[in-house]
Each structure stands twice: as C-alpha cells, then as structure tokens.
Amino acid sequence: MTNEELWQTVLAQIQLSISQANFATWFKNTEIHSNKDGKVTILVPNSFVKEWLENKYNKTIFKILHNLDKNIKEVEYTVGKSRLKIFKKESQEILETDQLGFQELQVDKKTNLNPRYTFDSFVVGPFNELPHAAAVAVAKNPGVVYNPLFIYGGVGLGKTHLLQAIGNEIAKNIKKKKIIYVSSEKFTSEVVSAIRNQKTEPFKEKYRTIDVLIIDDVQFLAGKEKTQEEFFHVFNILYEKNKQIIISSDRPPKAIQSLAERLRSRFEGGMIADISAPDFETRMAILKTKAQEKNVEFSEEVFQYIANIIKKNIRELEGALNRLIIYQKLNNQKPNIETVKVLFKNLLTGPAKIVTPKKIIQVVADFYDLKEKDLLTSSRKKEIVRPRQIAMYLLREELKNSFPFIGRKFNGKDHTTAIHSYKKISKEIERNKKLEEEINLIKEQVFTC
Ligand code: ADP
Ligand code: MG
C-alpha cells in the first residue's frame, strides 16, 4: 500500500465513526508525510488541527494504522503544506491531488484568486441565472455596467466561485488590470494590523490603486465600525474612479445588522442579485459536470439519489461525489444504489435545517466529544463546564434566547449562570483567537450540517 492508499483507508474508516462535519473540519488537507521505522508522520494544515488530532483522534488514528500495518508503532503530526497538490498527475490519481474535494490549487499571490473558479466550470440554472448574467456583464465591462455588484445567497451556493470567476476572467482578458480578491475577515485583519502598526498609509495605497475590488462575505463586517469606515473610504475612492467593486454576502444589505447606513445605501446603489437553491435538474447537471471534470462516471440512478437528498448546498453535492469516488477507489468497484443508500444514510435525517437550541447543544456536544446529557447535567468537570458555557453562549448569540430560558434548558440553572457564561465567553473570544476559531467551526457545523 502506498502512503496515499494507507491514509485513504484510515480516512474511510474514521469517516464511518465520526460525524461528517467533524470529519470535514479535522481531516481535510491531511496526508501521510512519511512512514518509516515504525513512525508515521501526518501532515496537517495548521497547528490548531494538529492539537486536535493529537488530543482527540490520536488513539483512533493509531489503532487503525496499527491494524493495517503492525510495524507502525508511533504517529506524529506536523504542520505543513501538502506536497501532493502541486503535482497534479493523471485523473487516475484524483484523490491524491484532490483529497476529499478540498482541492487547493495555487492561489495567485497578488490577486488572491484561485484559478479553479472560472465561468467555464460554473453550471448555470434558473436559480443563479441572474447573478451569473450580471457577473458575465461585469467581467466584460468592469466599472461600467453594474457597480457595485452585490451577490447574496446561502452557504455553498457558489458566491465565492462566481466572484472569483469574474476576477479570473478580467485577469485573463485585461492583463494590466489590478485585481484584488479579499475575504471580509482578511480585510478586517488588515485594517486592524495597519492601525496597530501605524501603517495605515501603505494599506490605503494598496486599496486606492486597484481596478477591481472583490470582497467576499461582507456580512462579517457587521459591528466592526472601524473596518467599515475604512471600507467606506476605499469604496468611495474606487467608485468615483469608476473602478469595479464586487461584493458577496449571505444576506441582502438591508438584513445585515449593524452595517453603517451609508455603506448599506452604497451597496444598494448598484445591482443586487441573489442565488437561491438549485432545482433538481441543475443539481443533476452539477453532479454530472463535476464527475466529468474528475473523469469518473456513476449510474443515473446513483446521481438521482444524491440529487434528491442534497438540495441546498453545492459544496455538499461535491462532497457526496467525492465520497463515491473514494468508495470506488478503495473497493475497486462502483457503488451500486444499495451501497449508496448506506453511505448516505446519515443525510436522510429529515428536511429543513432549522437551527434550534437542541441542534446547537448536539453540535457542541459532538464537537467536544461529549454526550448531550453531559452538557445538560450539572457536572463541574472542567472538560464539561467550558463546552456548556459555549453552548449557552451560542444559544444567546445565535438564537437570541432569553437568559432564563437558557438556564432552564440546562437542567434548570439560574439565569445568572447563563448570563455569566455568555459574558465570560464573549469576553474571552475577543482576546483568544483559538477560542474564536473553535466557535466559528462550531457555528459552521450548526448552520451547514
Ligand atoms: P459560497 O461562497 O456561496 O459558500 P462556493 O462558491 O464556495 O459557495 O461554492 C461551493 C462549492 O460549490 C465550490 O466548490 C464551487 O466550485 C461549487 N459550485 C457552486 N456553485 C456552482 C455552480 N453553479 N457550478 C459548479 N460548481 C459550483
Ligand atoms: Mg464563499
């Protein structure tokens, strides 16, 4: 077995024992770096993942590896970039370069654009026809037709893809245009560090001189006044010079809370287009297109089954396809419809994903490897107290539940406990980057799984 095959086998087994969300969170972009003298070194994308794998999953990983190869006596983790991504070979080796679909082609250092997002690879259907048409028009004539172009829609529906496709198309056609793609989080951290290091001039200079500014997930600017102010300046300068501005968000401008009125009205001054959920035919078309890109084929029946159970998220459609590919690779045969039903049975848990207190409690428990009832009892063990506080925090923050309600949920605790938890976590998030990251991952799972 090659290292890649070994790791794919481990992943396939782990995937069966943990939730899909946790699997995606902790195992994307991992691979075996080396395997010698009984020691396997696993490459992970960042120190955060390293710590989690060491603390939470090491035993499982070791057990599976050891079962596969008795010579393996030790596992360690190291942070680094995956080598495999760079050497893209035959389609046969899809999984090595595009492990589980978290492909990471080289992103252009100047523009931050990922070359994989193009109009060519973007499937158009009734649900995204308007934003697509607007995007194409903007790419043809930047700064002229729709300015700004504001695209909004739910998670995994193609906003980033579309935004970057515009950038890539312009970059291809007009070489001298200066294009920058930036996420709102990145923009925010640039503002913060410019201020902290008293380097606001270079920051301003950088943004003043571009021709096309693409800013993704602008809802994250909510409540960040200083960043909004800087963005407003940049926006005005570019806008007045007829430079193209392209924005995405998960909701329309008027639904972004604590967004300065003047920014909101700027956003509303251009073209606003929304991407809704794809219809069945488009979901089929997307699956087939992606399968073709990856040089694989599955039966019509299998595609229909997948398109029927995954309705609201194109990223999940891709994920499902990747699972089929992994199955095929590990078993040397295509999954039949019965197998597919087993593979995806955990996706069949009812329709709408409405976020409820129960859902949040479930995700938090799962995330920290606890039982739901542990969170709900009054245990004072450290490893339970903290997740419980986080769950309370999220009920307040995301669902606006009242403190007495939250207290009651958690085994009839007093509302002051809920207030204390909420305040404690809110405060800590501000200075503890790691906690913030943890909570963001939990939120992602709450809202997408
Ligand atoms: P968002 O930014 O809205 O969360 P993304 O743009 O990241 O979503 O899309 C999620 C995944 O689905 C990406 O891999 C993207 O390439 C793919 N995707 C989204 N929309 C389409 C589409 N219309 N055609 C093909 N692939 C798509
Ligand atoms: Mg996105």
Side-chain angles (χ1 to χ4, degrees), residues 116-117 121-124 127-128 153-162 216-217 248 275 282 286 290 313-315 318:
R116 137 179 141 85
Y117 295 120
S121 59
F122 193 78
V123 178
V124 184
F127 74 108
N128 61 9
V155 181
L157 290 178
K159 300 180 298 293
T160 297
H161 189 139
L162 201 50
D216 208 353
D217 289 319
S248 87
I275 306 189
T282 319
I286 289 171
K290 305 252 173 210
N313 187 322
I314 296 172
R315 190 176 293 125
E318 282 185 329

Side-chain angles (χ1 to χ4, degrees), residues 71-89:
N71 295 321
I72 295 173
K73 298 271 175 342
E74 195 185 344
V75 182
E76 65 168 31
Y77 305 84
T78 177
V79 177
K81 262 234 165 344
S82 169
R83 300 159 292 127
L84 296 165
K85 314 255 154 54
I86 302 157
F87 307 110
K88 193 156 184 167
K89 291 190 219 141

Side-chain angles (χ1 to χ4, degrees), residues 250-279:
D250 67 348
R251 61 200 89 173
K254 62 174 174 313
I256 309 177
Q257 279 171 8
S258 51
L259 183 68
E261 198 46 47
R262 49 188 193 167
L263 257 184
R264 194 189 319 263
S265 68
R266 282 293 188 217
F267 291 168
E268 284 173 346
M271 166 77 158
I272 299 183
D274 77 305
I275 306 189
S276 52
D279 52 283

Side-chain angles (χ1 to χ4, degrees), residues 357-372:
K358 187 166 168 43
K359 169 91 191 185
I360 290 185
I361 292 167
Q362 263 169 2
V363 172
V364 173
D366 181 41
F367 191 89
Y368 292 103
D369 230 358
L370 299 169
K371 300 229 161 32
E372 263 172 71

Side-chain angles (χ1 to χ4, degrees), residues 110-171:
K110 275 206 204 103
T111 62
N112 292 328
L113 291 170
N114 183 331
R116 137 179 141 85
Y117 295 120
T118 60
F119 284 128
D120 278 346
S121 59
F122 193 78
V123 178
V124 184
F127 74 108
N128 61 9
E129 220 168 356
L130 176 68
H132 173 261
V136 170
V138 161
K140 279 202 183 114
N141 263 319
V144 181
V145 272
Y146 306 124
N147 208 12
L149 172 61
F150 189 106
I151 291 173
Y152 75 92
V155 181
L157 290 178
K159 300 180 298 293
T160 297
H161 189 139
L162 201 50
L163 256 61
Q164 295 221 12
I166 303 176
N168 279 318
E169 183 70 15
I170 299 175

